Short mmCIF file of all heavy atoms in Angstrom, two decimals:
data_model
loop_
_atom_site.label_atom_id
_atom_site.label_comp_id
_atom_site.label_asym_id
_atom_site.label_seq_id
_atom_site.Cartn_x
_atom_site.Cartn_y
_atom_site.Cartn_z
N GLU A 22 -3.89 0.21 -6.77
CA GLU A 22 -2.91 -0.78 -6.32
C GLU A 22 -3.00 -2.05 -7.15
O GLU A 22 -4.06 -2.40 -7.68
CB GLU A 22 -3.13 -1.14 -4.84
CG GLU A 22 -3.10 0.05 -3.89
CD GLU A 22 -4.48 0.53 -3.54
OE1 GLU A 22 -5.40 0.38 -4.39
OE2 GLU A 22 -4.67 1.07 -2.43
N SER A 23 -1.90 -2.77 -7.20
CA SER A 23 -1.87 -4.08 -7.83
C SER A 23 -0.74 -4.89 -7.21
O SER A 23 0.14 -4.35 -6.55
CB SER A 23 -1.69 -3.97 -9.34
OG SER A 23 -0.45 -3.36 -9.67
N GLY A 24 -0.78 -6.20 -7.42
CA GLY A 24 0.30 -7.06 -7.00
C GLY A 24 0.02 -7.93 -5.79
O GLY A 24 0.87 -8.76 -5.42
N GLY A 25 -1.13 -7.78 -5.17
CA GLY A 25 -1.45 -8.61 -4.03
C GLY A 25 -1.75 -10.03 -4.44
O GLY A 25 -1.91 -10.36 -5.61
N GLY A 26 -1.84 -10.90 -3.44
CA GLY A 26 -2.14 -12.29 -3.70
C GLY A 26 -1.84 -13.16 -2.51
O GLY A 26 -1.61 -12.68 -1.39
N LEU A 27 -1.83 -14.46 -2.76
CA LEU A 27 -1.55 -15.46 -1.74
C LEU A 27 -0.11 -15.92 -1.87
O LEU A 27 0.36 -16.25 -2.97
CB LEU A 27 -2.49 -16.65 -1.91
CG LEU A 27 -2.26 -17.86 -1.01
CD1 LEU A 27 -2.50 -17.49 0.45
CD2 LEU A 27 -3.15 -19.01 -1.44
N VAL A 28 0.59 -15.94 -0.75
CA VAL A 28 1.99 -16.35 -0.74
C VAL A 28 2.27 -17.14 0.53
O VAL A 28 1.63 -16.91 1.56
CB VAL A 28 2.92 -15.12 -0.86
CG1 VAL A 28 2.79 -14.23 0.37
CG2 VAL A 28 4.36 -15.53 -1.08
N GLN A 29 3.20 -18.07 0.45
CA GLN A 29 3.58 -18.86 1.62
C GLN A 29 4.51 -18.06 2.53
O GLN A 29 5.21 -17.15 2.08
CB GLN A 29 4.27 -20.15 1.19
CG GLN A 29 3.36 -21.12 0.47
CD GLN A 29 4.05 -22.42 0.14
OE1 GLN A 29 5.27 -22.48 0.02
NE2 GLN A 29 3.28 -23.48 -0.03
N PRO A 30 4.53 -18.40 3.82
CA PRO A 30 5.49 -17.75 4.70
C PRO A 30 6.91 -17.86 4.17
O PRO A 30 7.32 -18.92 3.68
CB PRO A 30 5.32 -18.50 6.02
CG PRO A 30 3.92 -19.01 5.98
CD PRO A 30 3.66 -19.34 4.53
N GLY A 31 7.64 -16.77 4.27
CA GLY A 31 8.98 -16.71 3.73
C GLY A 31 9.06 -16.25 2.29
O GLY A 31 10.16 -15.97 1.79
N GLY A 32 7.93 -16.15 1.63
CA GLY A 32 7.89 -15.73 0.25
C GLY A 32 7.94 -14.23 0.08
O GLY A 32 8.09 -13.48 1.05
N SER A 33 7.78 -13.80 -1.16
CA SER A 33 7.89 -12.38 -1.51
C SER A 33 6.74 -11.96 -2.42
O SER A 33 6.20 -12.77 -3.18
CB SER A 33 9.21 -12.10 -2.22
OG SER A 33 10.33 -12.37 -1.39
N LEU A 34 6.39 -10.70 -2.31
CA LEU A 34 5.45 -10.05 -3.21
C LEU A 34 5.93 -8.64 -3.47
O LEU A 34 6.61 -8.04 -2.62
CB LEU A 34 4.04 -10.00 -2.64
CG LEU A 34 3.20 -11.28 -2.64
CD1 LEU A 34 1.90 -11.03 -1.88
CD2 LEU A 34 2.91 -11.74 -4.05
N ARG A 35 5.54 -8.10 -4.61
CA ARG A 35 5.82 -6.71 -4.93
C ARG A 35 4.51 -6.01 -5.28
O ARG A 35 3.84 -6.38 -6.25
CB ARG A 35 6.78 -6.59 -6.11
CG ARG A 35 7.32 -5.18 -6.32
CD ARG A 35 8.01 -5.05 -7.65
NE ARG A 35 8.82 -3.84 -7.74
CZ ARG A 35 9.18 -3.26 -8.88
NH1 ARG A 35 8.82 -3.81 -10.04
NH2 ARG A 35 9.92 -2.17 -8.87
N LEU A 36 4.17 -5.01 -4.50
CA LEU A 36 2.98 -4.22 -4.74
C LEU A 36 3.33 -2.97 -5.54
O LEU A 36 4.41 -2.40 -5.38
CB LEU A 36 2.33 -3.80 -3.42
CG LEU A 36 1.99 -4.90 -2.42
CD1 LEU A 36 1.29 -4.30 -1.21
CD2 LEU A 36 1.15 -5.98 -3.07
N SER A 37 2.40 -2.55 -6.38
CA SER A 37 2.56 -1.34 -7.16
C SER A 37 1.36 -0.43 -6.94
O SER A 37 0.24 -0.90 -6.74
CB SER A 37 2.69 -1.65 -8.65
OG SER A 37 3.83 -2.43 -8.92
N CYS A 38 1.61 0.85 -6.99
CA CYS A 38 0.56 1.86 -6.87
C CYS A 38 0.75 2.88 -7.98
O CYS A 38 1.78 3.57 -8.01
CB CYS A 38 0.61 2.54 -5.51
SG CYS A 38 -0.53 3.92 -5.32
N ALA A 39 -0.22 2.98 -8.86
CA ALA A 39 -0.16 3.90 -9.99
C ALA A 39 -1.00 5.14 -9.69
O ALA A 39 -2.17 5.03 -9.33
CB ALA A 39 -0.65 3.23 -11.26
N ARG A 40 -0.39 6.29 -9.86
CA ARG A 40 -1.05 7.56 -9.60
C ARG A 40 -1.49 8.21 -10.90
O ARG A 40 -0.77 8.18 -11.90
CB ARG A 40 -0.10 8.50 -8.85
CG ARG A 40 -0.66 9.90 -8.62
CD ARG A 40 0.35 10.78 -7.90
NE ARG A 40 1.55 11.04 -8.70
CZ ARG A 40 1.67 12.02 -9.59
NH1 ARG A 40 0.64 12.84 -9.81
NH2 ARG A 40 2.81 12.20 -10.25
N SER A 41 -2.66 8.84 -10.86
CA SER A 41 -3.14 9.65 -11.97
C SER A 41 -3.88 10.86 -11.42
O SER A 41 -4.21 10.92 -10.24
CB SER A 41 -4.05 8.84 -12.90
OG SER A 41 -5.21 8.40 -12.23
N GLY A 42 -4.15 11.81 -12.30
CA GLY A 42 -4.83 13.03 -11.89
C GLY A 42 -3.84 14.11 -11.48
O GLY A 42 -2.64 13.87 -11.30
N ASN A 43 -4.37 15.29 -11.34
CA ASN A 43 -3.54 16.45 -11.03
C ASN A 43 -3.45 16.70 -9.54
O ASN A 43 -4.42 16.50 -8.80
CB ASN A 43 -4.11 17.70 -11.71
CG ASN A 43 -4.08 17.61 -13.23
OD1 ASN A 43 -3.13 17.08 -13.80
ND2 ASN A 43 -5.11 18.14 -13.87
N ILE A 44 -2.29 17.14 -9.12
CA ILE A 44 -2.10 17.59 -7.75
C ILE A 44 -0.99 18.62 -7.76
O ILE A 44 -0.02 18.52 -8.52
CB ILE A 44 -1.78 16.42 -6.80
CG1 ILE A 44 -1.84 16.90 -5.35
CG2 ILE A 44 -0.44 15.78 -7.13
CD1 ILE A 44 -1.85 15.77 -4.35
N PHE A 45 -1.13 19.62 -6.92
CA PHE A 45 -0.18 20.72 -6.89
C PHE A 45 1.19 20.28 -6.38
O PHE A 45 2.22 20.68 -6.93
CB PHE A 45 -0.73 21.87 -6.04
CG PHE A 45 0.18 23.05 -5.96
CD1 PHE A 45 0.33 23.91 -7.03
CD2 PHE A 45 0.89 23.32 -4.80
CE1 PHE A 45 1.17 25.01 -6.96
CE2 PHE A 45 1.74 24.41 -4.71
CZ PHE A 45 1.88 25.25 -5.80
N SER A 46 1.19 19.47 -5.35
CA SER A 46 2.44 19.00 -4.78
C SER A 46 2.18 17.68 -4.06
O SER A 46 1.03 17.33 -3.79
CB SER A 46 3.05 20.03 -3.82
OG SER A 46 2.20 20.26 -2.72
N ILE A 47 3.24 16.98 -3.76
CA ILE A 47 3.16 15.71 -3.06
C ILE A 47 4.11 15.75 -1.87
O ILE A 47 5.30 16.00 -2.03
CB ILE A 47 3.51 14.53 -3.97
CG1 ILE A 47 2.52 14.43 -5.12
CG2 ILE A 47 3.54 13.22 -3.17
CD1 ILE A 47 2.90 13.41 -6.16
N ASN A 48 3.58 15.51 -0.71
CA ASN A 48 4.40 15.41 0.48
C ASN A 48 5.02 14.02 0.61
O ASN A 48 6.21 13.87 0.87
CB ASN A 48 3.58 15.75 1.72
CG ASN A 48 4.37 15.58 3.00
OD1 ASN A 48 4.14 14.64 3.76
ND2 ASN A 48 5.31 16.49 3.23
N ALA A 49 4.19 13.00 0.41
CA ALA A 49 4.65 11.63 0.55
C ALA A 49 3.68 10.68 -0.12
O ALA A 49 2.51 11.00 -0.32
CB ALA A 49 4.80 11.25 2.02
N MET A 50 4.18 9.51 -0.47
CA MET A 50 3.35 8.40 -0.89
C MET A 50 3.83 7.15 -0.16
O MET A 50 4.97 7.10 0.31
CB MET A 50 3.42 8.18 -2.40
CG MET A 50 2.80 9.30 -3.22
SD MET A 50 2.78 8.94 -5.00
CE MET A 50 1.62 7.56 -5.05
N GLY A 51 2.96 6.17 -0.07
CA GLY A 51 3.36 4.95 0.60
C GLY A 51 2.21 4.01 0.81
O GLY A 51 1.25 4.00 0.03
N TRP A 52 2.31 3.25 1.90
CA TRP A 52 1.42 2.13 2.11
C TRP A 52 0.98 2.03 3.56
O TRP A 52 1.81 2.12 4.48
CB TRP A 52 2.11 0.82 1.72
CG TRP A 52 2.54 0.78 0.30
CD1 TRP A 52 3.71 1.23 -0.23
CD2 TRP A 52 1.77 0.28 -0.81
NE1 TRP A 52 3.73 1.04 -1.59
CE2 TRP A 52 2.55 0.45 -1.97
CE3 TRP A 52 0.51 -0.30 -0.91
CZ2 TRP A 52 2.11 0.06 -3.23
CZ3 TRP A 52 0.07 -0.68 -2.16
CH2 TRP A 52 0.86 -0.50 -3.30
N TYR A 53 -0.31 1.87 3.76
CA TYR A 53 -0.90 1.42 5.00
C TYR A 53 -1.40 -0.01 4.81
O TYR A 53 -1.58 -0.47 3.68
CB TYR A 53 -2.07 2.31 5.41
CG TYR A 53 -1.70 3.60 6.10
CD1 TYR A 53 -1.24 4.69 5.37
CD2 TYR A 53 -1.84 3.73 7.47
CE1 TYR A 53 -0.92 5.87 6.00
CE2 TYR A 53 -1.53 4.92 8.11
CZ TYR A 53 -1.06 5.99 7.36
OH TYR A 53 -0.76 7.16 8.00
N ARG A 54 -1.63 -0.68 5.91
CA ARG A 54 -2.28 -1.97 5.85
C ARG A 54 -3.28 -2.10 6.98
O ARG A 54 -3.15 -1.45 8.02
CB ARG A 54 -1.27 -3.13 5.90
CG ARG A 54 -0.53 -3.28 7.23
CD ARG A 54 0.52 -4.39 7.12
NE ARG A 54 1.25 -4.58 8.36
CZ ARG A 54 2.30 -5.38 8.49
NH1 ARG A 54 2.75 -6.07 7.43
NH2 ARG A 54 2.91 -5.50 9.67
N HIS A 55 -4.28 -2.94 6.75
CA HIS A 55 -5.33 -3.17 7.72
C HIS A 55 -5.49 -4.67 7.91
O HIS A 55 -6.21 -5.32 7.14
CB HIS A 55 -6.64 -2.54 7.25
CG HIS A 55 -7.68 -2.48 8.32
ND1 HIS A 55 -8.89 -1.83 8.15
CD2 HIS A 55 -7.70 -2.97 9.58
CE1 HIS A 55 -9.59 -1.93 9.25
NE2 HIS A 55 -8.89 -2.62 10.14
N PRO A 56 -4.82 -5.24 8.92
CA PRO A 56 -4.97 -6.67 9.17
C PRO A 56 -6.36 -6.98 9.71
O PRO A 56 -7.00 -6.13 10.34
CB PRO A 56 -3.90 -6.96 10.24
CG PRO A 56 -2.98 -5.77 10.21
CD PRO A 56 -3.84 -4.61 9.79
N PRO A 57 -6.85 -8.19 9.51
CA PRO A 57 -8.18 -8.53 10.03
C PRO A 57 -8.20 -8.46 11.55
O PRO A 57 -7.32 -9.01 12.23
CB PRO A 57 -8.40 -9.96 9.52
CG PRO A 57 -7.04 -10.49 9.23
CD PRO A 57 -6.23 -9.31 8.79
N GLY A 58 -9.19 -7.79 12.08
CA GLY A 58 -9.35 -7.68 13.52
C GLY A 58 -8.40 -6.73 14.20
O GLY A 58 -8.37 -6.67 15.44
N LYS A 59 -7.61 -5.99 13.44
CA LYS A 59 -6.65 -5.07 14.00
C LYS A 59 -6.82 -3.68 13.39
O LYS A 59 -7.55 -3.50 12.42
CB LYS A 59 -5.22 -5.57 13.78
CG LYS A 59 -4.91 -6.91 14.42
CD LYS A 59 -3.48 -7.32 14.17
CE LYS A 59 -3.16 -8.65 14.82
NZ LYS A 59 -1.76 -9.06 14.56
N GLU A 60 -6.11 -2.73 13.97
CA GLU A 60 -6.19 -1.36 13.49
C GLU A 60 -5.29 -1.15 12.27
O GLU A 60 -4.30 -1.85 12.07
CB GLU A 60 -5.79 -0.39 14.60
CG GLU A 60 -6.69 -0.42 15.82
CD GLU A 60 -8.09 0.05 15.50
OE1 GLU A 60 -8.25 0.98 14.68
OE2 GLU A 60 -9.03 -0.52 16.08
N ARG A 61 -5.66 -0.17 11.48
CA ARG A 61 -4.84 0.22 10.35
C ARG A 61 -3.50 0.76 10.84
O ARG A 61 -3.43 1.44 11.87
CB ARG A 61 -5.57 1.29 9.53
CG ARG A 61 -4.84 1.76 8.29
CD ARG A 61 -5.55 2.95 7.67
NE ARG A 61 -5.49 4.10 8.56
CZ ARG A 61 -6.10 5.26 8.32
NH1 ARG A 61 -6.83 5.40 7.22
NH2 ARG A 61 -5.98 6.26 9.18
N GLU A 62 -2.44 0.46 10.11
CA GLU A 62 -1.12 0.92 10.49
C GLU A 62 -0.33 1.34 9.27
O GLU A 62 -0.49 0.79 8.17
CB GLU A 62 -0.36 -0.16 11.26
CG GLU A 62 -0.08 -1.42 10.45
CD GLU A 62 0.69 -2.47 11.24
OE1 GLU A 62 1.16 -2.17 12.36
OE2 GLU A 62 0.81 -3.61 10.72
#
């Protein structure tokens, strides 16, 4: 992953995820997040 950082409320960020290595097939890709003190979602 790349693209994270500090931003003010109302601002924008763009995250990127680069894949490498072999895999037979892909069902899905995407993003989870883990806020402090909370569960992963």
Side-chain angles (χ1 to χ4, degrees):
E22 303 98 331
S23 62
L27 175 65
V28 65
Q29 293 183 336
S33 298
L34 284 174
R35 191 193 195 202
L36 306 183
S37 298
C38 174
R40 175 181 65 86
S41 63
N43 295 323
I44 190 167
F45 180 74
S46 63
I47 298 172
N48 177 253
M50 293 185 67
W52 301 87
Y53 279 78
R54 68 185 180 187
H55 193 174
K59 299 181 179 179
E60 297 295 324
R61 183 188 65 185
E62 63 180 351

